Amino acid sequence: MEDLLWYKNAVFYEIYVRAFADGNGDGKGDFAGLTSKLDYLVALGVDCLWIMPMYPSPLLDDGYDISDYTHIHPDYGSMQDFKTFLTAAHDRGLKVIVDLVLNHTSDQHPWFQAARRDAKSPYRDYYVWSDTDRKYSEARIIFVDIEKSNWSWDDAAGEYYWHRFYASQPDLNYDNPSVQEEMRNVVKFWLDLGIDGFRADAVPYLFEREGTNCENLPETHAYLKRLRHFIDIYYPGRILLCEANQWPEDVRPYFGEGDEFHMGFHFPIMPRIFMALRRGDRSPLVWITGRTPPIPESCQWCTFLRNHDELTLEMVTPEERQWMWQEYAPEPRMRLNLGIRRRLAPLLDNDRRKIELANSHLFTLPGSPVIYYGDEIGMGDNVWLRDRDGVRTPMQWEASPGAGFSSVDPGQFYLPLIDAKPYGPEKVNVVGQLSDEGSFLNTIRRMIAVHKQNAALGWGDFGWVEAGDPAVAAYCRGCGEGERILVVNNLSGKPIQMPLSGLGARRLVDLFDSTLEIETEKEPVLVLEPYAYRWLRLV
Ligand code: GLC
């Protein structure tokens, strides 16, 4: 029987199709290229691919500005190429979810074009118009570096239109039942094609109400619940993953009683992994796990270290944000909006120990881990590129000048390859790391494998374990007495001896190497090298 709860202990992998592999030699990644790399992803061990928007789009927000919801961007190939990809992925046991942008369209979408030209068009009411730009003044601006208002004037319409993101992304009007139905039909279209679900983009902002901050409104939840109900009836086993960059108590309602989203990103825990690591102190993690409410049994968090956006610092205090900027984005170019536009390896000084330690948290804290393409080989970034392009550069497959990304001259790539030492393809690439048993890529492969073999890491409850030293983040993941895993992370650059007496008489078996055993009665302390981590089964 099909496992309807497959996502509870799955490992996700986020793919930007343009960046992954170019199959037709035009310098841009496409579905043919991605299909040719599926065996790599199978060997990596991930379970589900998350495909960033692949729809026709003027690409002013890299495809999050959709001008046609039911086709494939010509850069990425044809609908047939997409179907071939999907079948090939499914044949290999991989699930595929795609981005679903509900909140807004591109201003090039025919609906918006019709709406702005003609006040009597049925499409006029697909968007949110006003003769003043002062409505909903309590709604924050998200892209603060570029946008000064959530309203933009449209000459053709003679009115202002509402947008939570770029002005080229007008918000849809969810008070209009036709909009609700259109988007449900989009959902149906892709599910009928066989995809396994959606990463639902920017869901807190669907409705607007005066006197509120226009986020997480009851009307928004009601619509999303109806969407979920539709999926449950016709497409059981397909999932909705919620992108709500909110505090845990505000994300909690998106799970409903197990009748809204299956999954939700845990945004606030992400910066706290970086905070804990830099401070050598687990307190930020203790604080946020304590503030995270339980979720229904059928639901799951998604944890991540980095993604295609800036490392957002919205879910921290202003003081913490300043500190994070100072520590992790010392140069102004590294900052964007309320975040940091850098990749994982450069953020962590390209220090293998710290990068592994961050991943140790990713794979063992509650939730299903999401890996951002390229982070599994320690790719670098380029802060000189615009917007978030610096973390969206071509995947580095091999050491050749074109990095194996495309057959065309690298000068024609959609974005330049990373060339800054030591992150260029001659050093950082898939082929080199696959053939090196001790490479970072092979460590990630082992982490993925161990995660999948141990149901407790997906299903288990979570509890902190007293470790003596605040620099040690030690916690238990467990499913009752049956399977208990002790995870120990040394957040500091100093060696630490962690007493094991609190565990009683136990045998601890290393999850990476079962020949490594500790008898707590004989060895009452665990010696942790700087930035070391251990994943241990309690027997
Ligand atoms: C989400 C996406 C981001 C995009 C925004 C607007 O936050 O992750 O990349 O710019 O939505 O669609």
Side-chain angles (χ1 to χ4, degrees):
M1 199 191 105
E2 201 200 344
D3 174 14
L4 296 183
L5 299 178
W6 59 270
Y7 51 90
K8 286 279 290 186
N9 60 345
V11 178
F12 287 70
Y13 186 91
E14 179 185 2
I15 296 181
Y16 180 36
V17 177
R18 183 173 303 268
F20 209 59
D22 174 12
N24 68 347
D26 66 354
K28 299 167 197 147
D30 45 42
F31 279 108
L34 170 55
T35 307
S36 74
K37 297 297 186 187
L38 285 174
D39 289 331
Y40 164 72
L41 297 166
V42 171
L44 185 59
V46 298
D47 303 286
C48 182
L49 313 180
W50 152 25
I51 306 294
M52 282 167 59
M54 72 283 182
Y55 316 97
S57 160
L59 302 175
L60 295 179
D61 186 11
D62 264 347
Y64 285 94
D65 47 333
I66 299 174
S67 54
D68 175 351
Y69 280 86
T70 53
H71 286 92
I72 297 293
H73 195 293
D75 284 355
Y76 296 164
S78 62
M79 187 57 90
Q80 189 50 50
D81 292 337
F82 178 79
K83 290 181 183 165
T84 304
F85 152 73
L86 188 62
T87 306
H90 283 163
D91 285 348
R92 288 164 175 76
L94 293 168
K95 306 258 186 201
V96 175
I97 64 170
V98 302
D99 247 296
L100 171 70
V101 184
L102 293 168
N103 181 66
H104 46 265
T105 70
S106 160
D107 60 3
Q108 301 306 308
H109 194 290
W111 298 340
F112 190 72
Q113 290 299 324
R116 60 193 295 237
R117 274 198 305 268
D118 178 3
K120 300 213 176 55
S121 155
Y123 295 109
R124 181 73 154 209
D125 195 38
Y126 272 40
Y127 296 89
V128 182
W129 300 95
S130 165
D131 50 10
T132 139
D133 61 355
R134 259 163 270 150
K135 280 169 81 177
Y136 312 136
S137 59
E138 286 162 54
R140 70 192 163 112
I141 293 167
I142 296 167
F143 287 162
V144 279
D145 283 1
I146 304 285
E147 299 296 343
K148 298 292 161 253
S149 168
N150 287 323
W151 291 106
S152 282
W153 176 257
D154 187 68
D155 268 338
E159 279 193 291
Y160 293 96
Y161 63 92
W162 179 249
H163 57 87
R164 294 307 302 269
F165 295 92
Y166 287 130
S168 52
Q169 293 164 300
D171 272 37
L172 284 164
N173 173 21
Y174 275 83
D175 277 318
N176 182 344
S178 304
V179 166
Q180 300 192 8
E181 202 186 313
E182 294 270 16
M183 297 317 282
R184 203 199 56 188
N185 288 339
V186 169
V187 164
K188 178 175 186 308
F189 177 88
W190 292 100
L191 292 175
D192 283 342
L193 266 178
I195 61 148
D196 300 286
F198 298 98
R199 178 257 192 197
D201 180 74
V203 290
Y205 321 107
L206 301 188
F207 283 79
E208 298 75 34
R209 290 290 178 265
E210 201 56 76
T212 74
N213 67 357
C214 299
E215 299 186 14
N216 315 320
L217 296 178
E219 293 84 349
T220 294
H221 286 292
Y223 174 68
L224 293 166
K225 279 202 168 71
R226 287 203 296 280
L227 210 54
R228 166 65 184 267
H229 186 61
F230 173 71
I231 292 177
D232 278 352
I233 292 178
Y234 297 105
Y235 310 95
R238 322 283 185 94
I239 62 160
L240 284 173
L241 160 58
C242 172
E243 189 220 14
N245 189 352
Q246 304 282 333
W247 291 102
E249 62 271 23
D250 294 322
V251 179
R252 175 63 190 80
Y254 286 96
F255 294 114
E257 299 312 315
D259 58 355
E260 204 169 317
F261 280 89
H262 303 78
M263 309 189 86
F265 288 110
H266 198 315
F267 273 91
I269 205 166
M270 179 272 298
R272 286 174 179 81
I273 296 175
F274 291 92
M275 277 156 70
L277 234 155
R278 195 68 132 214
R279 287 192 194 153
D281 181 353
R282 66 171 174 254
S283 334
L285 290 169
V286 174
W287 185 81
I288 197 65
T289 51
R291 193 171 162 171
T292 301
I295 56 176
E297 178 78 5
S298 63
C299 295
Q300 182 61 299
W301 292 105
C302 269
T303 49
F304 61 101
L305 295 170
R306 289 296 294 110
N307 61 21
H308 64 289
D309 287 325
E310 67 276 27
L311 187 169
T312 60
L313 298 172
E314 274 150 330
M315 296 302 125
V316 298
T317 65
E319 297 73 37
E320 288 170 333
R321 186 176 308 134
Q322 285 305 328
W323 184 86
M324 282 289 289
W325 269 333
Q326 175 194 313
E327 294 295 323
Y328 284 109
E331 292 167 32
R333 287 207 67 88
M334 296 172 170
R335 303 176 188 180
L336 181 72
N337 299 319
L338 295 186
I340 300 174
R341 47 173 175 181
R342 300 182 73 193
R343 265 197 185 260
L344 184 62
L347 277 167
L348 298 178
D349 315 317
N350 204 25
D351 183 330
R352 173 82 180 262
R353 299 170 305 173
K354 295 181 194 167
I355 301 169
E356 282 192 29
L357 184 61
N359 276 287
S360 167
H361 288 85
L362 174 71
F363 282 98
T364 59
L365 285 169
S368 292
V370 188
I371 302 167
Y372 182 49
Y373 89 90
D375 278 351
E376 78 276 23
I377 52 171
M379 262 172 65
D381 52 37
N382 180 351
V383 295
W384 295 98
L385 300 177
R386 59 172 282 281
D387 201 349
R388 291 150 290 179
D389 284 355
V391 301
R392 300 178 182 181
T393 61
M395 179 70 176
Q396 298 171 191
W397 295 100
E398 53 183 56
S400 66
F405 165 72
S406 166
S407 57
V408 85
D409 181 83
Q412 291 176 44
F413 287 9
Y414 74 97
L415 281 179
L417 283 162
I418 296 296
D419 64 356
K421 291 206 163 46
Y423 300 105
E426 68 289 348
K427 216 128 186 229
V428 176
N429 67 71
V430 169
V431 168
Q433 293 198 34
L434 280 178
S435 62
D436 171 4
E437 189 47 37
S439 68
F440 176 62
L441 175 60
N442 276 318
T443 299
I444 291 292
R445 278 173 68 174
R446 281 190 288 275
M447 284 188 173
I448 295 171
V450 170
H451 181 92
K452 284 167 58 169
Q453 281 153 16
N454 291 275
L457 292 176
W459 288 85
D461 51 24
F462 170 91
W464 287 98
V465 170
E466 187 41 55
D469 195 312
V472 179
Y475 41 86
C476 243
R477 298 295 315 279
C479 302
E481 262 305 294
E483 193 186 344
R484 294 203 76 75
I485 292 169
L486 171 67
V487 177
V488 180
N489 299 301
N490 179 359
L491 295 161
S492 76
K494 60 180 189 199
I496 291 179
Q497 302 204 341
M498 174 178 159
L500 297 173
S501 43
L503 297 174
R506 293 279 201 162
R507 199 154 54 87
L508 308 179
V509 183
D510 193 294
L511 290 184
F512 290 100
D513 178 354
S514 57
T515 64
L516 290 179
E517 283 197 5
I518 302 169
E519 301 264 6
T520 55
E521 278 184 312
K522 291 190 205 131
E523 284 178 76
V525 284
L526 182 61
V527 180
L528 292 165
E529 296 304 320
Y531 304 114
Y533 59 95
R534 296 290 298 272
W535 303 359
L536 303 156
R537 181 179 301 112
L538 292 175
V539 184

